[in-house]
Amino acid sequence: MENIALAFSGGGFRAAAFSLGALSYLNEVEIDGKRLIQNVKFIGSTSGGSLTNIFYSLSVARGGGFLPTYQKALQAMNGEDLISNVFKILKSKEKWNGRDDKSRNLINGFSIAYDELFGHATFKHLYEPAPGVIPHLEDVCVNATEFTNGLSFRFQSQNKHLPSGRIGNYYIYFNDPDVGGQLLLGDIMACSSCFSGGFEPVIFPDDFAYGALTREHLGRSISLKANPFTIKDPSRDLLSSEEFKKVPGRFGLMDGGVADNQAIDSVFKSNARRKSVGKGFDLVIVTDVGSYFVDGYTLPMEKRNWYNNFTLQQVVNGIKILGLAFVGILAWVLLKNWAEWMKYVIVLPGLSLAAYLAGAFYLNREKRKAFKEKSTWLVVLFSYVNYFLTIRYSRIKQMVTSRLKSVFLLADDLYLKQIRRLYYEKIYSDAELRTITVSNAIYDLSLAKQHADQDQGLPDELSYGSTKGNEPAEIQPPPGHYLIMIAEQARLMPTTLWFDQFQKEAGCLKAIVGAGQFTTCYNLLKYYTKKTDLTASEQRLKEILTADWKKFNAQPFYLYDQLEQQGQSKP
């Protein structure tokens, strides 16, 4: 356990808080004269987990103490403070000074808010320690996903004493790592956490440019190419933008969870680099707030009301009639004199005629364009659009909402669970890593997990990260009801970047951090209980874990309350 790797999953504030709880417990355990956290050599993260990763890694590089970092991270997750600041930033002109190329949108509002939280630090501040500081962390990785090839884009630290992976990936990377080191951590955090459906992509180089780090300079520093399987048929790009392609090196970045929400692949790559010059990891802790639990899909049903019986064709016909009325009024004016009352009745028909003509012109233009570019989706849409015009509004509404709901369920839940299963399968199928991996999931002690454990026929496609490689061990005492209900509360927290007033009143932040602490203790104890041939140091660690588990079981928040008291006693 001299070389520990941590992987922090995505999942908004739930992931950030659970990871913070895990870190705080590793800092609490003292073995052989030093805290267990001092043996952590690598942290890889995605999305919400990156918030805790950056806070802690930045503090380590600057020689900061754990307690102030813990308190600062907790404060960053206080209620709706972050999102409230984001909307203030969006309204402020001053906050965007010096960021002329940065799009003024929601995700960039978050990037500026993150930049303030990190004290305007840059990426190199994570891995270039302050004078006199010898950090225990040797490698840090913050994961995003690039949308040119659909691959992970890794912001990997550049350690002079270890082989360093590219800042990027095989196809898109910084040809000058020094330029990559100048990127603001706030922008990197935004890339890692901009989940689909909630945010727009972060655009490189535009959204990273600031001060002397111009868009042109950034564009020249990046090596960008599509993989050989990339299809370059323009007709397949439904909303193609020639303007986007005008800037060299421009590409989109989004949530790291799109490609690897558990940051497991970054552990593989860091381990391989370490082994190439010496010894790999001897313990991997995957701290994960994802799960295999699914809320079943329910189909939005059609509701029949009198106002839902209208069709789009009837609406279009109504606009046509109003447009004809406008023509009739104009004819009256030509034949008769203008009457005062006409100004009250000409506005709506006039607007209707303008809307109809503008719509007809636009649709006709897009139809010609679709046929010219052979865009199969648009060609079929224009060919059969009349069918949709004759369908009543309630049916159209049901068709749209059912599709939207299924897409969101797929993108934000089912898809992530499939990717999660594949990465757990990868790590538990690896002859080396499967024996040193501790799966540390937020649901491990939850009420839902207790019920799931009763299913004796759990198939392999559900078991990775839950029971496969992480089978139950005889841990005494068994988890108590109070602890289980706290874990259940933590599991049920949705993926958000805030705690609303109800979640704040319910103590959700405390529940998740506390769950991170006692779940980490429990899973480490399971690992060393199952492991045979323990060294003397591991045996002592097991005894410490056993004593701590008993304390957690009696009082799940004992460590959380202890840290809070220590923080209050500091001047």
Side-chain angles (χ1 to χ4, degrees), residues 163-180:
S164 297
R166 290 170 169 171
I167 302 177
N169 57 41
Y170 181 81
Y171 292 103
I172 305 178
Y173 59 90
F174 279 89
N175 49 48
D176 184 354
D178 289 336
V179 176

Side-chain angles (χ1 to χ4, degrees), residues 61-76:
R62 290 175 169 176
F66 181 81
L67 184 59
T69 304
Y70 172 85
Q71 291 176 308
K72 190 173 182 180
L74 274 183
Q75 183 58 41

Side-chain angles (χ1 to χ4, degrees), residues 369-385:
K369 181 179 177 182
F371 276 86
K372 180 180 179 181
E373 296 180 352
K374 301 178 181 178
S375 178
T376 182
W377 287 99
L378 289 177
V379 166
V380 170
L381 176 62
F382 282 117
S383 298
Y384 297 97
V385 68

Side-chain angles (χ1 to χ4, degrees), residues 215-231:
R215 185 172 69 174
E216 291 70 28
H217 183 40
L218 285 169
R220 291 193 300 270
S221 72
I222 204 80
S223 175
L224 187 152
K225 62 178 179 179
N227 71 72
F229 299 103
T230 298
I231 299 173

Side-chain angles (χ1 to χ4, degrees), residues 14 442 446-447 482-494 502-512 515 557:
R14 183 176 77 256
I442 196 170
S446 68
L447 184 63
Y482 181 38
L483 184 145
I484 288 172
M485 296 313 296
I486 293 169
E488 181 71 3
Q489 181 185 6
R491 181 188 74 85
L492 291 174
M493 171 70 191
F502 307 108
Q503 294 160 346
K504 195 171 181 180
E505 291 168 2
C508 286
L509 176 58
K510 182 176 181 178
I512 299 170
F557 290 121

Side-chain angles (χ1 to χ4, degrees), residues 73-91:
L74 274 183
Q75 183 58 41
M77 292 181 274
N78 181 44
E80 299 177 33
D81 288 356
L82 176 62
I83 194 168
S84 176
N85 188 35
V86 167
F87 283 103
K88 289 178 183 176
I89 289 169
L90 288 171
K91 293 178 182 179

